[in-house]
Structure formats: structure tokens, C-alpha cells
Amino acid sequence: MVVLATKLYVEGDARERSLDSLRSLVDNEIGELAVEYELGVRHDDFPSVTIEGDDATVARNVLREEFGEIVPDLEDGETYVGTLDSWDEDGIVLDAGQPVRIPTDELGLGPGAPSQLRERYGLVQHMPLQFVYADDGDSRLSDEERDRLYDWTRGDGRLNVNSATRAEVRATLNRAGHAQDYVTVERLGLLEQSVVCTEDTDPPGLLASVGEYLPAELRCVVP
């Protein structure tokens, strides 16, 4: 079984749509392998995929690479993925199946309190972040994660969203008349998306326009 490092935290019809979306994502990754799989959702909202068949080992590795994996035990110096759970003046807390605190000094994202860094880099709650675990409590964001977030601030701007699938975000943008205002919608997690704006699009303006249609947290990345 693989426990995916992305969360399914919505309820009702939205939960069913999210499960359908996850099923499609998993099928895209391993559907052509010689396996049978079953989706489940743990009590802590992390999805699990139970896999059987001749290609089971390959399929598990593919899903670990695509989503990251929640494991029972974290080892010092190893790299994992956790979802952004909370933040305060001392740092952020990721949910990696257990709480992992990353002190402000170990974020490596420049000056500012965690609340300011959330604004600068568009960090919406529950988005997956890659980190390097440390037994002494000084876990840090991975170099790859820091590079990704820095790259966001050098681009044409982004609008990050949670609580919605990629298809739902795209449909909302198109329905609101913004089909020409974005390049693509990148999937960050199952329910966390990043709208990559065109060069002429103002991310705060896009947020103001579509915010009423998306019952979600929305944050801009402005170059």
C-alpha cells in the first residue's frame, strides 16, 4: 500500500468529485501496468492506494515519485513530502503523517515571518512541500523546493488555490471569461492548484475576479 502525500479534506459532493479526480490521476499513472488497485482515505485524510499484480512494485514507485509518500517513520537526513498544516511566528508545521516543524530560519526563503512568506510565495494551506527531516528538530525545506518557490517569483505571476481540483479551477477560469489570461493550471496536490498567468495578466486582478466563484483560499505570486 502507498499512502499519497496529498490530502482529501473536502466534504459532500466535493469529496466525491475529488475521489473521482484522484482515481483518474492514479489511472493515468499506472492504468497500463499489470496491476489492480483500490483507493481508500485514511482517518487523517491522506489517500491510500492498495496495489496487487505483476507490476505492483513498479506501480508503487511511480506513485511515490508523482505524489510523494506518507511513511510511518521519518529518518534523519532523508527527503519527504508533507502538507502545509499551520504556521506561527516561529515557523511552519507540515503534516507528514506526523507533525514536522520547520523553523523560520530553516525555510530558506529570504527575510520575513512565516505569514509574510506565505503571502510572498502564495503558500495555500494543505499544499504539499518537500522537506529534509532532522531528528534534532531543525528540519528544513529541500533545496529543490526552495528553488521551485523562488522560480515562481521570477515568472509572470501565479494565482494559487486550494479546495478545488484542477478541472474545477480551469472550468471556473473559463466560465468567468479568463480563458486567455492564463497559460496553464499546474497541479500542486490533489486539491491545490497553481494558475500560471500570462505576461499581461495581473494576478491580484484575477483573484478579485474569480474569488467569488471559488470557495477556497487564494493567494497571488507577484513577480
Side-chain angles (χ1 to χ4, degrees), residues 82-187:
T83 62
L84 179 59
D85 186 69
S86 61
W87 50 92
D88 55 32
E89 62 183 16
D90 296 321
I92 67 173
V93 176
L94 302 181
D95 188 348
Q98 57 184 276
V100 175
R101 174 169 283 278
I102 300 182
T104 302
D105 291 345
E106 298 295 340
L107 292 173
L109 297 175
S115 58
Q116 295 170 314
L117 297 175
R118 281 220 318 138
E119 293 287 346
R120 186 182 310 155
Y121 294 97
L123 305 183
V124 293
Q125 189 173 24
H126 304 303
M127 70 174 282
L129 295 168
Q130 190 181 81
F131 68 96
V132 178
Y133 180 70
D135 285 336
D136 63 5
D138 284 336
S139 298
R140 62 177 178 85
L141 289 184
S142 69
D143 291 342
E144 181 179 341
E145 189 63 72
R146 292 168 177 172
D147 289 345
R148 177 176 74 144
L149 297 177
Y150 271 120
D151 284 345
W152 284 2
T153 65
R154 302 185 185 107
D156 290 326
R158 291 173 178 258
L159 176 63
N160 292 346
V161 182
N162 69 8
S163 304
T165 66
R166 184 170 182 260
E168 288 170 341
V169 171
R170 290 177 65 179
T172 298
L173 290 166
N174 295 343
R175 192 166 55 243
H178 292 288
Q180 306 302 316
D181 296 329
Y182 70 99
V183 178
T184 189
V185 178
E186 292 181 2
R187 183 177 61 80

Side-chain angles (χ1 to χ4, degrees), residues 4-45:
L4 307 181
T6 186
K7 279 201 156 184
L8 205 159
Y9 45 84
V10 292
E11 301 295 339
D13 290 344
R15 191 175 185 87
E16 292 305 313
R17 291 195 301 272
S18 300
L19 272 171
D20 288 342
S21 177
L22 178 59
R23 192 169 289 108
S24 295
L25 291 171
V26 170
D27 199 60
N28 286 342
E29 295 296 332
I30 65 174
E32 295 187 3
L33 297 175
V35 294
E36 294 182 357
Y37 65 88
E38 182 178 349
L39 294 182
V41 182
R42 302 198 322 182
H43 67 282
D44 55 5
D45 292 332

